[in-house]
Amino acid sequence: MITFEAGKLQTIQGVWKVQGAFAEHVKLLSTADGEQWTVDPQGPRDLSYTWVKDSNNISSEEIIMTESTNRGGSTNWDPVGTWTNGNATGIWSDGLNWAGTGGVAPGAGDDVLFNSTSTADASVDFSFGGAVANMTIASGYTGTITLNRSLQVNSVFALADGNFSTSTQTLTLNGGATISGGVFSGGSGQFYLSGNFTQTGGTFTDVTGLTVLQDASNQTIDVTGGTNLFQNV
């Protein structure tokens, strides 16, 4: 574990290399949890099996890590976790079911991707942390993703294929939603939407519980295709 002083700038002029091991990440943390430390990497980067939290990368170039994870509070870092169901447990909290995050489940700052890599069903289980950055359900994923705990997507939610069910849980989308295919099945929980909603295909059925448009005066609901049922807004 390496800690950086919260609120201070770290400038790295040469090669920045951080290398952990599978499920044994090198952790880059702030001295004050929840307060960002700042980094300006000016040379080549080589980061793998790295766990970052509360960091602000001020470089114009995003930091791309391999087999790594952004646990939240970090900006301009971009790990992606791809669903593989490699451990055949079908649950999000099992790090062995993901590629790209180095043996741990995705964190609040990680993007998650579902595609043809694995079409196995996936459960957002109680042990999962409950938040991700972008969530993309791409063409080729034909399984079903079910919420068995609440889920918060802090950036864009995109559905192009497969099935997404909120079941009895609460879904919060902080960066809007784009639906071009697949089936979105709202259950009996609540749905909180910030940002715009765009649908060009697929099927969207709203939750039977409360739907809250977080910034209704500035939000756009644009449905040009597919089947759509908003209710209890």
Side-chain angles (χ1 to χ4, degrees):
M1 180 177 68
I2 304 172
T3 57
F4 300 88
E5 188 174 355
K8 298 295 185 180
L9 171 64
Q10 309 292 328
T11 300
I12 302 172
Q13 297 179 331
V15 176
W16 189 17
K17 184 170 183 175
V18 180
Q19 185 172 358
F22 185 80
E24 297 179 358
H25 295 67
V26 176
K27 295 184 178 182
L28 309 181
L29 306 176
S30 172
T31 54
D33 190 48
E35 297 182 24
Q36 284 189 323
W37 56 278
T38 302
V39 63
D40 182 10
Q42 299 178 354
R45 303 94 176 266
D46 182 8
L47 289 84
S48 61
Y49 296 102
T50 302
W51 172 307
V52 64
K53 189 173 186 296
D54 299 326
S55 175
N56 178 26
N57 165 31
I58 64 172
S59 169
S60 60
E61 184 180 348
E62 200 168 45
I63 296 175
I64 306 297
M65 305 183 291
T66 57
E67 296 299 334
S68 299
T69 180
N70 179 348
R71 307 310 288 184
S74 297
T75 52
N76 212 16
W77 295 73
D78 189 40
V80 177
T82 300
W83 176 253
T84 64
N85 197 36
N87 206 30
T89 56
I91 56 175
W92 277 38
S93 65
D94 187 342
L96 299 180
N97 286 335
W98 299 92
T101 52
V104 297
D110 291 333
D111 298 341
V112 294
L113 172 64
F114 292 81
N115 58 20
S116 59
T117 299
S118 172
T119 60
D121 294 345
S123 167
V124 184
D125 59 301
F126 182 77
S127 295
F128 180 72
V132 295
N134 292 288
M135 180 172 178
T136 302
I137 307 168
S139 179
Y141 179 76
T142 55
T144 298
I145 301 167
T146 304
L147 301 191
N148 288 304
R149 63 147 297 154
S150 61
L151 178 66
Q152 178 173 302
V153 180
N154 289 317
S155 193
V156 175
F157 173 91
L159 173 63
D161 209 345
N163 298 274
F164 181 85
S165 171
T166 67
S167 185
T168 61
Q169 303 299 318
T170 295
L171 175 66
T172 302
L173 303 182
N174 288 328
T178 300
I179 298 177
S180 58
V183 177
F184 182 108
S185 300
S188 59
Q190 296 183 333
F191 177 34
Y192 294 88
L193 175 67
S194 298
N196 298 328
F197 178 96
T198 302
Q199 183 177 0
T200 58
T203 299
F204 175 85
T205 303
D206 198 6
V207 297
T208 56
L210 181 66
T211 294
V212 178
L213 302 181
Q214 306 268 53
D215 188 17
S217 62
N218 295 311
Q219 288 178 262
T220 300
I221 306 296
D222 185 12
V223 179
T224 58
T227 302
N228 182 281
L229 174 61
F230 264 104
Q231 54 192 355
N232 298 323
V233 179

